[in-house]
Structures are given as structure tokens and as C-alpha cells.
Amino acid sequence: MTLYTRPDCSYSDAQRADLRAKGIAFTEVDLARQPERVPEVEQLTGGERITPVMVEDGVVTVGFRGAG
């Protein structure tokens, strides 16, 4: 699973904490540290610059929805 986040996003913080609490492994992409990856998020969200964005097995989830 890939999780796109921003450090100033409380929903990113909540999603990360939820995944960790449930023991779900993920790769985090901090868009503040990797701004070159912003186009990926825009493609996944239809042009929006919103976080968090989770991608698991090709399924994209935009916004905090909890894990599992």
C-alpha cells in the first residue's frame, strides 16, 4: 500500500496513525519532501491536490476513511 501525505494535514496524520495501529504495512510518500511526486497524486485524484491518498492493489482512496 502507498500512502501520500503532507505534514500539515491532520487527516494524513490520522490515516497514518490508523494504519500503524492496525499493523498495516505501507510506504509513505511525503509530498513536502518529494514534491516531484505531486503529479502522481493529481493523476490519482482527477487533478486535486488533496491528502491523504491511499493506493492498494490499484484501488485509490482519497481522504481519511480509516483502514481495513
Side-chain angles (χ1 to χ4, degrees):
M1 171 186 306
T2 302
L3 176 66
Y4 295 87
T5 65
R6 286 196 176 277
D8 59 345
C9 175
S10 61
Y11 293 113
S12 291
D13 295 340
Q15 189 68 68
R16 183 185 317 104
D18 194 48
L19 291 169
R20 287 181 178 156
K22 293 179 178 170
I24 298 172
F26 63 96
T27 300
E28 183 172 0
V29 177
D30 180 337
L31 296 172
R33 292 187 178 157
Q34 297 177 282
E36 71 278 3
R37 300 207 46 196
V38 168
E40 291 174 38
V41 171
E42 291 174 329
Q43 184 176 10
L44 293 167
T45 64
E48 303 251 356
R49 288 188 178 196
I50 187 171
T51 56
V53 175
M54 285 193 317
V55 181
E56 181 175 24
D57 298 327
V59 176
V60 178
T61 304
V62 178
F64 175 62
R65 305 269 192 262

